[in-house]
Amino acid sequence: RRRAVDALTRSSEEEPDADAGEKIVRSRLPETALAPVLALLTREEVDEAQVEILLGRIEGPGVADKLLQALQGDGPAMLLRLAARRLAGLGEKRAGPPLLALLGKATDPYAGQFVADALVTLDDPAVLEPLFAQLRSGTPAVRRLVINVLGRLRQPRAIGPLIAALRAGENNELGGDARQALETLTGQSFSTGDEWLRWWKENAGKPIVLPMPKKPAEEIPAEEPAEEKTEDPK
């Protein structure tokens, strides 16, 4: 099984020129590959990164339906993670409700963070109201995950609920998370919940111009070092 996964992961339509830095163009896999790949996820000996590559290459009209079934089932954590990421990458809006259900049941930061990341990738405004409900009544761990999602979704409707969360938890970790999420979402920076609320009221009815999302550090080209200047001897 390991050799089969390795061979499928490495197969490509074009062999890259390593010296030229060319990217591998991987061939598509048929939908019939989905069942054995999902079965692999119940086994401990498979490499998650490799299986994720395989899932990303499988195409077919029934792929989303089968992944949704897996996401709604009681499968192992690796299966849920990869199904969530693949469905979010496909833009499958039907994944919103099961992802929200998983977020509400999250008991540790790692288990919840992959759901939060999938919801951000999915980028579906329909998840906002359920997230607001979880922000009001969820456990502290779930509320922190919700704040993380709302800060990255780039939806102005999240500003009011985030300010309310900040004012309710001004002096604890929840308030700190809400302040950071508001800064990420709006590009503004204020010290207290009352200052945020004052700014929000002053701008009520005005279009909110959201800042451009920051590129990951690895995508930002490094500045070339300046050439050293040498002076001619006097």
Side-chain angles (χ1 to χ4, degrees):
R1 284 192 295 268
R2 286 194 294 269
R3 288 197 295 270
V5 169
D6 188 61
L8 286 169
T9 305
R10 293 175 182 275
S11 65
S12 63
E13 293 174 350
E14 301 176 8
E15 289 298 326
D17 184 347
D19 295 332
E22 293 179 1
K23 188 178 293 186
I24 295 176
V25 180
R26 300 207 181 272
S27 58
R28 301 294 91 191
L29 293 174
E31 188 176 332
T32 51
L34 185 59
V37 169
L38 292 180
L40 281 174
L41 295 178
T42 63
R43 303 177 183 278
E44 294 295 330
E45 75 267 17
V46 298
D47 181 78
E48 184 170 345
Q50 283 188 310
V51 179
E52 185 164 16
I53 290 174
L54 296 184
L55 274 181
R57 294 167 54 197
I58 298 173
E59 295 182 349
V63 168
D65 289 339
K66 293 186 176 79
L67 289 175
L68 277 169
Q69 291 175 5
L71 189 62
Q72 294 166 333
D74 190 22
M78 190 192 306
L79 173 59
L80 298 179
R81 284 195 298 271
L82 295 188
R85 287 201 285 264
R86 178 63 172 140
L87 286 166
L90 288 171
E92 180 54 67
K93 305 302 184 188
R94 291 179 297 167
L99 285 174
L100 289 165
L102 287 174
L103 191 73
K105 294 186 292 186
T107 55
D108 66 86
Y110 181 75
Q113 192 59 52
F114 85 86
V115 183
D117 293 342
L119 283 167
V120 172
T121 302
L122 190 61
D123 194 22
D124 184 7
V127 304
L128 285 175
E129 290 299 333
L131 286 173
F132 297 158
Q134 290 182 337
L135 184 58
R136 291 189 297 268
S137 60
T139 65
V142 169
R143 294 171 71 193
R144 294 190 71 182
L145 287 167
V146 170
I147 287 172
N148 177 286
V149 175
L150 293 178
R152 295 190 288 155
L153 273 182
R154 298 182 56 77
Q155 292 287 340
R157 287 170 55 198
I159 297 174
L162 284 173
I163 292 175
L166 169 57
R167 298 183 76 213
E170 193 88 46
N171 299 315
N172 58 33
E173 290 182 339
L174 198 68
D177 290 346
R179 184 181 296 106
Q180 183 176 355
L182 283 164
E183 291 176 356
T184 300
L185 178 60
T186 67
Q188 305 294 319
S189 181
F190 301 102
S191 300
T192 67
D194 288 341
E195 289 176 324
W196 276 104
L197 183 60
R198 189 179 309 115
W199 169 81
W200 185 230
K201 288 180 177 178
E202 289 172 355
N203 289 275
K206 300 178 183 177
I208 302 296
V209 180
L210 302 180
M212 293 296 294
K214 294 181 180 180
K215 292 184 178 180
E218 63 270 12
E219 294 182 10
I220 301 175
E223 294 184 3
E224 295 184 1
E227 295 183 3
E228 296 183 2
K229 295 182 179 179
T230 57
E231 295 184 358
D232 294 331
K234 295 182 180 179

